[in-house]
Amino acid sequence: MLNRRAMLLATGAAAAAAGLAPRALAAGDPGLASLLDQFFQEGLALRPESATQLGLDKGANAGLKAKLNDGSTAGRAAARAQTNDQLRRLQAIDRARLSGADRLNYDVIAYTRKSQATLQRFEFGGSAFGPSTYVISQLTGVYQSVPDFLDTKHTIATAEDADAYLSRLGAFGDQLNADTDRQRHDVRLGIVPPDFMLDLTLDQLTKARAPADKALVVTSIARRAAEKGLGDRYGKDAAKIYNDKVLPALERQLAETKKLRAGAVHDAGVWRFKEGPAFYEAALHSTTTTQLSPEEVHKIGLDQGREISSRIDGLLKAQGLTQGSVGERIKHLYADPKQLFPNTDAGKVEAIAYCNRRLDEIRPRLPTVFNRLPPYKFEVRRVPVQTEAGAASAFSQGAALDGSRPGIVYFNLHDSAEWPKFCLSTTIFHEGLPGHQLEGGLALSNADLPLIRKNTSFSGYGEGWALYSEQLADEIGMYDDDPLGRIGYLKFQLFRANRLVVDTGIHHMRWSREQAIARFVENEGEAPGFAAREVERYCATPGQACSYKLGHTTIVNLRTRAKAALGAKFEIKDFHEAVLSGGRVPLDILDQIGDAWIASRKAA
């Protein structure tokens, strides 16, 4: 558990230099700037996939394009050592002499390193959307992350790029073996996923174990190298590496995971592990960037859920839906044929096209509430078929720093019935505009932020902003002619409130998987398959699901305080600038930034 007093001391007065708004705070300490640049480069060297994700695997970093992250025991030890060393070097700087953006940069990076150090003390687990108890699951493990990374992130324009791909393909086999070795280590500690997660994992591993001529990691380079006029050699070389290194490693991982299934239990939460409660508390604090206890988080979910349900009830009655509970009436909407896209490839193409039309409709309205918009493009795609059974329902990936690759919004269209039309709009506003792609794009293009801050994210801030964006879309009129879409927006607000209840229920209050699924289905009419995948996600990544509603609540409370304090001086564009221009920050620090902005506006 992070010590609350120590955390507040470390992050206090993050934006309090003369009470100025974040964009007015100029960074100027060359020693700190140099140190943060060193941290960033050290991070790229340890995590080469990040260099490719950001489009920085070129020039002095070109060698990183031939490498993958090292998830072995030695690699994890190196990561722990780097965290502790960077924290020591950062603390050698006298924070008291810093001001403005320098102090904010210092506090944000200090927060991240302390949080990382806390999580790295646990000798087990992996990561996906957040810290995970399990190295290999339906969401964690390189078996499901690296093929898509190589296909969509590793660019191939030259023979050197293709050679680097082959090097990474060989390293993929090493990564798989490292994951399997770490899984065996964790099993000796008693860390075994529940039976239902192992079933999902085994299904995905079996699909991943494809013959070379069907394996994505082979067909991707064969196709793209040929398109660049590089001939068929790379496809043949990739097939050999795959058969010699990758396929045997997949076979070994599948065999080892099968062994676990026979003795697996059905209990869903991490409470059953020796260090499970401590891990959950650390993961909850890390992902939400608050100091709230599981009991406090659970209560917030219950309280907000009741308020949102009351609003939905009124809207449903206005549509003539008066009989049954809120959940039963929403379930009726899910069954309305007019709301469903056909569960065919053509129907799924139609659903993606609908999402793009909604984006086209909101774009002209954004300048009414924002001073700046990001320069990046992005596109909507389906989750790859081979991983959609266990993947999240929707998620967003940022653009390359130089704009060479667009941001991507993924929708899991495993079953189109889980994405009725009235639920799609609010999700695309969350993942796209004015949500993740706007917030992330402004961070990446912000010339006032050092590179390490551009590449530092916080689930509480990012997901909180994206959920606030769903509310903002309603406020700027996106549902004025779409009353069912407004119900869909509020339904997903209720969904996020229920996440607080369910996540803490599973990991702290010992709820079963079935009890958690029932909460979603009965309380908000959720599609059972959608609810099951969500619950299974929370079982793999404890705490992260709580970041959405807690982040949204922080931003809304801050806006409410600002309106009350500023009255006629309040401007929504300026408020958004205050929240966004300081970059991504922990929620604890965001509150301080907001209060400093309010004070500066009152004094103006």
Side-chain angles (χ1 to χ4, degrees):
M1 176 180 178
L2 298 179
N3 181 277
R4 179 173 175 79
R5 177 174 171 77
M7 182 66 69
L8 291 176
L9 288 173
T11 60
L20 296 177
R23 196 161 177 78
L25 298 176
D29 186 276
L32 178 63
S34 176
L35 185 64
L36 295 185
D37 284 344
Q38 291 173 39
F39 286 4
F40 180 73
Q41 291 300 324
E42 290 166 3
L44 292 183
L46 199 64
R47 290 171 286 278
E49 292 168 36
S50 294
T52 295
Q53 175 76 31
L54 291 167
L56 296 178
D57 54 357
K58 57 192 70 170
N61 292 322
L64 297 178
K65 192 163 187 175
K67 299 177 181 179
L68 292 176
N69 298 349
D70 183 359
S72 67
T73 300
R76 286 165 62 89
R80 284 193 297 272
Q82 184 181 91
T83 298
N84 292 327
D85 180 61
Q86 289 184 352
L87 188 55
R88 175 190 58 78
R89 288 149 65 196
L90 187 64
Q91 291 174 334
I93 290 180
D94 182 6
R95 180 184 177 278
R97 65 178 174 79
L98 300 176
S99 62
D102 286 327
R103 183 169 289 189
L104 177 58
N105 291 336
Y106 180 101
D107 288 342
V108 170
I109 300 306
Y111 193 111
T112 65
R113 297 312 183 259
K114 290 178 181 180
S115 180
Q116 287 173 6
T118 298
L119 289 167
Q120 287 170 344
R121 295 190 189 109
F122 296 94
E123 295 290 334
F124 56 82
S127 64
F129 297 96
S132 176
T133 331
Y134 310 111
V135 178
I136 300 169
S137 72
Q138 83 277 17
L139 286 180
T140 57
V142 297
Y143 82 91
Q144 54 85 39
S145 64
V146 167
D148 181 65
F149 168 80
L150 289 175
D151 180 47
T152 64
K153 307 302 185 301
H154 184 109
T155 58
I156 296 178
T158 66
E160 289 76 13
D161 294 336
D163 289 335
Y165 184 106
L166 294 180
S167 178
R168 276 180 158 166
L169 184 57
F172 179 35
D174 296 332
Q175 281 188 320
L176 287 164
N177 283 324
D179 272 6
T180 305
D181 290 341
R182 286 175 48 215
Q183 180 189 58
R184 295 179 70 180
H185 165 272
D186 290 1
V187 169
R188 290 193 291 271
L189 297 176
I191 308 294
V192 179
D195 53 11
F196 58 88
M197 285 177 61
L198 285 170
D199 289 339
L200 291 167
T201 306
L202 288 169
D203 177 65
Q204 292 184 178
L205 276 170
T206 300
K207 291 176 180 176
R209 188 194 53 179
D213 63 341
K214 298 271 195 312
L216 178 63
V217 291
V218 176
T219 60
S220 175
I221 188 173
R223 182 191 75 253
R224 293 191 287 153
E227 288 171 352
K228 295 298 181 181
L230 301 176
D232 61 0
R233 175 176 76 83
Y234 287 102
K236 294 176 181 177
D237 288 350
K240 183 175 186 337
I241 293 170
Y242 179 81
N243 286 325
D244 290 349
K245 292 200 67 174
V246 177
L247 191 56
L250 279 168
E251 296 278 7
R252 176 176 177 242
Q253 190 164 111
L254 180 60
E256 290 290 334
T257 305
K258 280 181 177 178
K259 291 178 185 178
L260 302 181
R261 181 60 180 84
V265 301
H266 194 65
D267 292 327
V270 300
W271 55 263
R272 61 194 173 94
F273 304 130
K274 180 180 178 181
E275 293 187 90
F279 181 87
Y280 182 57
E281 192 166 351
L284 189 65
H285 293 334
S286 173
T287 55
T288 69
T289 58
T290 72
Q291 302 305 304
L292 294 169
S293 69
E295 293 86 355
E296 290 171 319
V297 172
H298 194 84
K299 184 178 185 303
I300 291 170
L302 291 173
D303 291 345
Q304 294 200 15
R306 282 189 289 269
E307 187 273 331
I308 298 166
S309 290
S310 177
R311 292 181 64 191
I312 296 174
D313 177 52
L315 294 175
L316 289 168
K317 288 176 178 175
Q319 295 300 308
L321 296 171
T322 61
Q323 302 300 311
S325 68
V326 166
E328 289 168 342
R329 283 176 281 166
I330 292 176
K331 188 175 181 180
H332 174 82
L333 290 178
Y334 267 83
D336 183 352
K338 295 194 294 280
Q339 291 295 316
L340 299 180
F341 293 95
N343 196 31
T344 63
D345 285 340
K348 293 168 185 181
V349 169
E350 186 183 350
I352 296 299
Y354 175 80
C355 292
N356 282 314
R357 286 198 299 274
R358 291 301 276 161
L359 286 172
D360 289 341
E361 290 164 1
I362 199 172
R363 281 188 178 98
R365 304 187 188 213
L366 297 179
T368 65
V369 287
F370 293 102
N371 288 326
R372 297 177 297 130
L373 296 175
Y376 301 105
K377 297 179 180 179
F378 72 95
E379 59 191 56
V380 182
R381 296 183 185 177
R382 280 182 64 181
V383 168
V385 174
Q386 65 269 22
T387 59
E388 65 184 8
S393 301
F395 54 95
S396 184
Q397 292 183 352
L401 187 63
D402 61 359
S404 59
R405 189 193 65 255
I408 302 172
V409 172
Y410 284 102
F411 273 84
N412 189 335
L413 297 178
H414 175 72
D415 181 356
S416 295
E418 296 174 4
W419 279 116
K421 186 179 294 185
F422 79 97
C423 289
L424 278 174
S425 290
T426 198
T427 307
I428 198 64
F429 300 149
H430 176 110
E431 303 292 349
L433 300 172
H436 285 310
Q437 293 295 334
L438 185 145
E439 177 271 315
L442 288 179
L444 286 178
S445 60
N446 189 341
D448 295 339
L449 293 179
L451 277 173
I452 195 169
R453 290 285 319 283
K454 293 175 188 282
N455 196 41
T456 297
S457 62
F458 299 95
S459 188
Y461 177 90
E463 299 299 352
W465 172 264
L467 191 53
Y468 170 75
S469 295
E470 295 186 48
Q471 174 181 327
L472 188 64
D474 183 33
E475 292 170 346
I476 61 176
M478 292 305 296
Y479 300 115
D480 288 354
D481 58 354
D482 183 16
L484 292 182
R486 179 171 285 119
I487 291 172
Y489 143 63
L490 287 171
K491 181 261 175 200
F492 274 100
Q493 291 279 326
L494 177 59
F495 170 57
R496 272 43 173 261
N498 278 330
R499 277 179 163 177
L500 302 182
V501 178
V502 167
D503 195 273
T504 53
I506 292 168
H507 295 295
H508 185 70
M509 298 176 178
R510 305 193 176 194
W511 285 19
S512 68
R513 168 185 178 271
E514 289 70 25
Q515 185 178 357
I517 292 172
R519 172 75 187 187
F520 286 127
V521 173
E522 295 169 6
N523 191 260
E524 62 190 63
E526 196 59 78
F530 184 103
R533 269 200 313 280
E534 285 295 314
V535 167
E536 289 153 359
R537 167 185 163 184
Y538 315 154
C539 295
T541 55
Q544 191 272 338
C546 299
S547 58
Y548 299 70
K549 203 67 181 74
L550 295 180
H552 170 258
T553 301
T554 298
I555 295 171
V556 170
N557 287 346
L558 183 57
R559 192 176 79 168
T560 300
R561 293 204 306 273
K563 284 184 173 181
L566 299 179
K569 288 185 175 181
F570 179 85
E571 293 285 347
I572 191 67
K573 288 186 179 183
D574 292 341
F575 173 76
H576 291 157
E577 189 72 9
V579 171
L580 292 167
S581 65
R584 297 156 172 168
V585 297
L587 295 179
D588 289 340
I589 293 180
L590 181 61
D591 257 339
Q592 298 168 24
I593 289 174
D595 287 339
W597 174 77
I598 292 170
S600 70
R601 294 295 294 163
K602 285 181 71 174

